[in-house]
Amino acid sequence: MKLFISLTPRQTHKINPLIHSTFFEYFGSVIYDGIWVGKDSSIPNVEGIRKDVITGMKEAGIKGARWPGGCCADHYHWKDGIGEKRYNRLHPMPGKVKVWRHEFGTDEFFTFCRLTGAEPILVANTATGSPSEFLDWYEYVNGPEDTLYGSMRASAGHPEPYNVKYWGLGNTDENVWWIDYDNPVAYAQDYLRFLTVIRDLTKDLHIIGLGLSQRHNTPGWVGKYLDHVTRQKRAKGPDSLSIHHYIGSAKGNYKNCGGAVDFTDDQYYNSLDAISTYQKDIDLHRGYISDHTNPKYKTTICFDEWGMWHDEASWENETRQRQTLRDAIFAACSLHVFYKNSDIVELAMETQLTNLLQSLFETRGEECVRTPTYYVFKMFKNHLEGNLLTVNQNTENPMLDYVFSMNGEGDTITATLVNKDLYKPCTISLDLDEKWEISQSHIIHTENVRTQNSFSEPFNIVDGEFPQKNMDNITLPEHSITRFVIKRTQ
Ligand code: AHR
C-alpha cells in the first residue's frame, strides 16, 4: 500500500497538548500509594509525591491533570484538604476504602502540577457542594493574598495565586441521578448558579460544562442544557463540553469485549471496533455545538474520561485491571480519533493515572510498573502542537489506522501507524521526496497480543527500536504500533 502525504499542514487541526491529559481521584490506591507517599516515606519522593510517577509523567508527555474527580469531585469538600492538620472523613463512594484521607489536597495537587509540568484542571462539586463553597475554593486558588482565602493560601506558603484557567462545573450526570441531573435543566440551573458566584471573573477562564456520559439516555440532553444556558443572554456558556465513555466488558454495551487478558480474537476486534463510538460521540457534540454557536467564543470538546474498563476491574478489586498489548492498541487508536478531530477536541483525559482502569502506572509500595498505555503516550507525544497532514492511500485496508502531523517549523513529520490485524503484517511505502528521511523508528509489539506488563514482568511491552530507515516497503508487523519521526534534510 502506498501512502501519499500532503505537505500542507491543516491549520484548523492543531493537536492540542491537553489531549494528552490524565485524571485521578480518591479511589483505591490511585492517590495514596499511586501518587502521594508523604515526605517521610522511604519510597523516593519529591515533596511527598512519588519520584517515579513524576519522571514518568514527563517522559510520557502528559500535559494536563484533572482532579479531584470523577465521582469524587461530586463529594469533595476542599476545606478538608488544606491547612496543617488534616482529618480523615467518611468516603461515601463504592469500593473498599471507606475513609477519605486528606493529606493530598489543593496545595499538594498544585505541587504535583508544578513538579510534572501538568496544566491543572479543577472540577467543582456542583452535586453536594454549594456555590459559596465553590467561591471560597476559587478564592483560595486564584484570589490575591489580601482576600480571606488567598491569605490562607499565603500562610500555607503560596503567596502567589495558582491562576487556574480550566474549571469543570460538575463531573457527570451519570453518578448523581439522585439529584436529578437526568434533567438537563436541573444541571443547567446549577451550572448557572456556580458560574454566577464568580461572574465577571470568568472572562479568561475555560469553563467545562457537562456533555454526554455513557449512561445517558435522555434524548437531546445536551441541546436542552445548552438551550437553557444560552437563553440567559449574558451568561457564559461552556468553553468545552465534557464526554465520558468507557469501553470494555464491565460496561453493559460492551460485554462482547472479553476479559482483561482472556479474550478471543473476535473480542479483540469487537473492542477496537467499539472505538467508532468515540467518533460518534464527537459527531453528536459537534452537532449540538453548531446549533448553539455563540459568536463570542468557540465551544470545544473535553473527552475527560476514556479508556477500557474490563470486568475484572470491579469496585471490590479497587478497579485495578491488568493491561495487555490490546490496551495499548486501544489507546493508540483512541488517541488517533482525538487527533483526527483536533479542530474540536481540545482536551482528553485517559483514565486514571495510576492503579485504576487504563492507567499509565501500576504501583505497589516501592514498585512501579509502566503500563502498555504509558508507552503509547510516550511514543505519540511528538504529535503534540503539530498540525494534522492529509494522507491518501492507493488501496483500502481497514486494519491500518494512522495519523501524520507536521511540527510548527515544518521540518519534522511524525507518523504513528497501528496494524490491528492479529495475523497479517501490512506493507506500506511513504510517498515523500528525497528531501525527507526517517530519523527515528520505534515500535510497540510482542508476539502474543495477550502479553502483559506485571510486577513480576514489567518490561514485556515497551517502545523498542524498529530497524527501518527506508520509506519503501515498510512491513508493519501484526498487532503493532509504530512511530516514525521523519526529518527534512534540505
Ligand atoms: O473513573 C471511574 C469513575 O467512572 C469516575 O469517577 C466517574 O466519573 C466515572 O463514572
Side-chain angles (χ1 to χ4, degrees), residues 9 11 20 32 43 67 87 91 99 149 168 184 199 254 257 310 351 384 386 449 458:
Q11 299 304 339
H20 278 212
Y32 298 112
I43 297 171
W67 170 86
Y87 295 92
H91 201 314
V99 166
Y149 289 100
R199 273 183 68 152
Y254 302 114
C257 293
H310 303 302
T351 303
L384 302 181
V449 76

Side-chain angles (χ1 to χ4, degrees), residues 437-474:
E437 68 178 30
I438 294 179
S439 77
Q440 284 179 36
S441 312
H442 284 90
I443 189 161
I444 299 176
H445 176 245
T446 52
E447 264 180 40
N448 183 347
V449 76
R450 294 163 186 89
T451 304
Q452 19 157 345
N453 283 357
S454 61
F455 288 112
S456 54
E457 292 184 88
F459 301 114
N460 283 335
I461 299 171
V462 293
D463 54 336
E465 296 258 343
F466 184 47
Q468 177 76 41
K469 292 283 171 227
N470 197 324
M471 285 196 265
D472 288 326
N473 295 319
I474 305 173

Side-chain angles (χ1 to χ4, degrees), residues 23 25 27 70-71 171-172 174-175 244 246 305 309 351-352:
F23 119 84
E25 60 184 327
F27 281 137
C71 301
N171 167 43
T172 163
E174 194 174 51
N175 298 294
H244 290 195
Y246 297 99
E305 291 187 26
W309 192 324
T351 303
Q352 297 191 9

Side-chain angles (χ1 to χ4, degrees), residues 277-467:
T277 56
Y278 284 175
Q279 184 61 54
K280 286 189 190 136
D281 290 338
I282 294 168
D283 292 341
L284 193 68
H285 285 75
R286 264 184 202 283
Y288 287 127
I289 288 167
S290 72
D291 287 349
H292 291 86
T293 302
N294 181 331
K296 278 193 283 184
Y297 57 84
K298 177 173 172 253
T299 304
T300 62
I301 290 171
C302 169
F303 219 111
D304 59 12
E305 291 187 26
W306 67 269
M308 293 210 81
W309 192 324
H310 303 302
D311 50 10
E312 72 182 26
S314 62
W315 292 111
E316 293 69 44
N317 185 30
E318 295 189 336
T319 42
R320 278 195 188 236
Q321 65 189 20
R322 293 169 291 169
Q323 285 189 39
T324 64
L325 183 57
R326 173 179 65 167
D327 296 274
I329 293 176
F330 180 91
C333 295
S334 302
L335 286 172
H336 279 178
V337 171
F338 304 144
Y339 302 153
K340 286 178 196 163
N341 291 278
S342 53
D343 59 323
I344 196 151
V345 176
E346 188 175 358
L347 306 98
M349 289 82 175
E350 62 74 35
T351 303
Q352 297 191 9
L353 180 60
T354 65
N355 303 337
L356 188 140
L357 305 179
Q358 192 156 358
S359 302
L360 300 180
F361 307 97
E362 288 291 324
T363 68
R364 196 172 61 185
E366 296 276 344
E367 297 167 283
C368 177
V369 175
R370 295 171 177 204
T371 66
T373 304
Y374 162 88
Y375 289 102
V376 174
F377 275 88
K378 180 174 173 233
M379 222 164 69
F380 281 26
K381 68 181 176 191
N382 283 48
H383 278 306
L384 302 181
E385 306 266 22
N387 284 85
L388 218 60
L389 295 176
T390 303
V391 177
N392 291 304
Q393 56 194 56
N394 61 351
T395 52
E396 282 304 313
N397 178 355
M399 289 293 141
L400 183 66
D401 188 39
Y402 54 78
V403 163
F404 285 66
S405 68
M406 185 183 273
N407 69 344
E409 291 75 33
D411 58 9
T412 307
I413 295 174
T414 298
T416 50
L417 300 106
V418 181
N419 179 11
K420 296 186 265 185
D421 200 304
L422 281 173
Y423 298 102
K424 287 196 216 111
C426 168
T427 300
I428 57 158
S429 293
L430 306 181
D431 183 70
L432 279 166
D433 58 32
E434 69 288 352
K435 291 191 195 113
W436 294 87
E437 68 178 30
I438 294 179
S439 77
Q440 284 179 36
S441 312
H442 284 90
I443 189 161
I444 299 176
H445 176 245
T446 52
E447 264 180 40
N448 183 347
V449 76
R450 294 163 186 89
T451 304
Q452 19 157 345
N453 283 357
S454 61
F455 288 112
S456 54
E457 292 184 88
F459 301 114
N460 283 335
I461 299 171
V462 293
D463 54 336
E465 296 258 343
F466 184 47

